Amino acid sequence: MAGTNYYLLSFLSTPEALGAEPPILRGDFLHHLDAHEQPRPRELAETIFLSDDLLQRDAVLAGEIDDPEPVILTVDQLRDEEPLPDFLAGRTADAGADTNTIAADVVWEAYFRHVAVVAGRLNSPFLRAWVGFEVALRNELAEARARALELEPTDYYVAQDLADAGDLSATFNEWAAAANPLQAQRVLDQARLDWLNENDAYFTFGDDELAAYAAKLILAIRWHRLARAMEGGEEEGTGDSGLGTGKE
């Protein structure tokens, strides 16, 4: 409902630059949607928030963080002590045929296809475009890392048919020139933020504008989490690809 969305978007503070304190927690954002009986924006936001839970899951399983803060999944699911939801747990036909597929990529493939299904069912142009951009960015990153390690890039692509982001060469030229992994991650997330600012359905007060807000929020929360980790003298995993020196 446009009237309710107008109230919500007027009430919510816009996330600032990467590294600034998030204006609201993900759980509180979902609570506001529930309080105003907004099931469609809630499902859009949950679908987007799940991506951050999965990034935390990758970091937990790699031993990079000990205290994850999921909002959709449970802590036990992030630690692989409890099964993931069925739509994430099943292997795709392509992945199932390839015994060398990285386990995390199987989950991400399932996730991206789930997002595409939700985008179609809810008729959300923003979510459809967002998953296309995210898949393209992830696959470009996988290709860059694979080529640096003299591996076959196509072994690390996920949901390639969903990718749709245009020319990312400038982003990855800047990524390659970054002085350290943290700066490289900032390049990727700034590209995400720039894309969101160009595609956020701003001032339409539609459900997709709330979905875009959710996507901006997870970037703000990720970098606030990083700032806390840096203050504590810890390094937190932020990579977008499970590509390492070999295959799991």
Side-chain angles (χ1 to χ4, degrees):
M1 293 179 291
T4 302
N5 290 352
Y6 176 84
Y7 170 79
L8 284 169
L9 289 163
S10 299
F11 164 78
L12 295 167
S13 299
T14 303
E16 301 295 336
L18 298 177
E21 185 170 353
I24 190 173
L25 299 177
R26 292 168 298 165
D28 291 338
F29 178 67
L30 294 176
H31 174 73
H32 282 299
L33 295 179
D34 285 341
H36 291 89
E37 298 182 351
Q38 293 284 70
R40 184 174 182 273
R42 191 189 210 284
E43 186 171 1
L44 291 170
E46 283 183 335
T47 302
I48 291 168
F49 287 164
L50 180 54
S51 67
D52 187 62
D53 282 8
L54 292 177
L55 278 177
Q56 291 187 73
R57 181 177 183 270
D58 288 348
V60 168
L61 296 181
E64 295 170 339
I65 60 173
D66 296 322
D67 299 309
E69 301 171 334
V71 71
I72 306 300
L73 300 176
T74 67
V75 171
D76 285 344
Q77 285 174 320
L78 266 61
R79 291 175 175 159
D80 221 11
E81 296 172 356
E82 181 180 312
L84 291 171
D86 289 344
F87 66 85
L88 292 177
R91 298 178 67 89
T92 65
D94 290 340
D98 182 0
T99 57
N100 291 321
T101 301
I102 294 176
D105 285 351
V106 175
V107 175
W108 280 102
E109 169 105 14
Y111 168 71
F112 289 133
R113 296 202 179 280
H114 168 69
V115 176
V117 169
V118 173
R121 177 166 52 79
L122 297 182
N123 190 24
S124 171
F126 170 80
L127 192 62
R128 188 179 299 112
W130 179 79
V131 73
F133 178 80
E134 287 292 327
V135 169
L137 192 67
R138 181 182 177 87
N139 285 346
E140 288 280 352
L141 178 60
E143 178 170 350
R145 288 174 168 171
R147 292 197 184 283
L149 295 169
E150 299 183 346
L151 299 172
E152 173 53 50
T154 57
D155 289 346
Y156 302 96
Y157 293 158
V158 298
Q160 192 174 4
D161 57 300
L162 298 178
D164 183 14
D167 186 6
L168 293 171
S169 58
T171 295
F172 278 92
N173 287 339
E174 187 178 355
W175 172 84
N180 55 58
L182 189 63
Q183 287 187 14
Q185 186 63 43
R186 178 177 282 274
V187 170
L188 298 180
D189 284 343
Q190 186 61 53
R192 287 185 165 100
L193 186 57
D194 291 344
W195 184 90
L196 288 169
N197 287 334
E198 294 173 0
N199 295 272
D200 61 1
Y202 179 66
F203 223 63
T204 64
F205 301 107
D207 292 349
D208 272 2
E209 190 172 351
L210 285 168
Y213 185 93
K216 291 179 183 180
L217 187 58
I218 59 174
L219 289 177
I221 289 171
R222 180 189 306 177
W223 279 88
H224 185 59
R225 191 186 300 140
L226 271 170
R228 293 203 323 262
M230 295 296 288
E231 289 172 1
E234 302 175 358
E235 292 187 6
E236 181 173 346
T238 61
D240 290 271
S241 171
L243 181 59
T245 57
K247 292 185 177 181
E248 296 179 1

